[in-house]
Amino acid sequence: MPAALVTGASRGIGRAIAERFAHDGFDVAVNYVQSAQQARTVADDIGTRTDSEAVAVRADVSDAEEAEELVDATVEAFGCLDHVVNNAGIDQHVFTEDLSPADFDRVMDTNVNGAFNVTKAALGELRESEISPTPSVTNVSSILAYTGAPIECHYAASKAGLLGLTKSHAKDFAPKIRVNAIAPGHVETDMTADRSAEEKEEEMEAIPLEAFGQPADIANAAAYLRDAGFVTGETLNVNGGELMR
Ligand code: NAP
């Protein structure tokens, strides 16, 4: 069976992507950094509800050595690696005046360096993959890559960085490996759970489809890009029409 690695899959969007890939016939490595019990539950549920296998693998993607160990553990479990989804990410709401260089680095290290580390570690295995259509890397960016955000400049910068990484890697790794991105709008997960009712109302007014996204909406996009054999270097915007590009 082909295999996929989804970073940050213990909850939220990553969990939905891992479940979708398993449903579609892929064994899945469920990466996490802190939520061991949640990641094990995701893996167990996949094992119970699908014909796929899943393993929960702890690794801090911002650490290059741990990213290599993550890929090694995936290949050890399944014997191959065909698709990578760089979904792990962190956010922090703070104005620039109060943002420390250490916090700036922490967000960049996780969101950009993490994707770089895992992709680099996976390259050898992806190049050996015989899957059709070709193997792929999908990076989860954000609508804020285009719009910016006053209280999360480091997050927006990291997500814009991911788009540059995506296009560069798409050229670099062609024709063997496709590399694409997804730029979600507001999706209902732990990351957005702390918004006040007023903030949510204001955000909703900007969304033509009058709804926030669900993790499954992003999983649909990830499944599309996984199977889209003639698409590389592209960003799929999944935002209810909030930003039409
Ligand atoms: P979430 O619910 O906060 O989940 C984040 C996931 O990332 C968790 O599985 C977490 O693992 C993992 N993670 C964090 N730091 C990590 C690290 N250093 N190494 C490995 N895993 C790490 O977030 P989400 O809303 O599902 O977001 C998923 C992705 O979508 C992120 O890249 C986010 O920026 C992006 N996104 C989200 C939205 C939104 O509205 N929710 C919009 C645009 C883009 P633990 O559970 O172990 O901590």
Side-chain angles (χ1 to χ4, degrees), residues 9-11 15 18-19 30 38-47:
S10 52
R11 50 203 167 93
R15 175 179 186 153
E19 289 173 346
V30 175
Q38 280 174 273
R40 274 198 292 271
T41 301
V42 174
D44 289 348
D45 282 356
I46 285 173

Side-chain angles (χ1 to χ4, degrees), residues 23-54:
H23 177 267
D24 292 349
F26 291 82
D27 290 334
V28 186
V30 175
N31 163 246
Y32 67 98
V33 67
Q34 285 179 321
S35 309
Q37 188 52 52
Q38 280 174 273
R40 274 198 292 271
T41 301
V42 174
D44 289 348
D45 282 356
I46 285 173
T48 309
R49 293 182 191 166
T50 73
D51 294 332
S52 301
E53 283 180 36

Side-chain angles (χ1 to χ4, degrees), residues 143-206:
I143 190 174
L144 299 184
Y146 311 115
T147 63
I151 55 164
E152 39 190 334
C153 69
H154 49 347
Y155 180 79
S158 73
K159 293 302 182 177
L162 268 182
L163 299 186
L165 190 78
T166 298
K167 290 176 188 171
S168 304
H169 280 174
K171 290 178 176 171
D172 206 353
F173 308 154
K176 177 66 196 187
I177 302 165
R178 292 169 295 118
V179 185
N180 292 293
I182 303 170
H186 182 127
V187 180
E188 290 190 309
T189 67
D190 291 351
M191 193 175 269
T192 48
D194 63 352
R195 305 278 207 283
S196 68
E198 292 75 30
E199 284 172 319
K200 284 187 180 172
E201 205 179 309
E202 204 177 302
E203 285 187 40
M204 186 68 87
E205 278 170 14

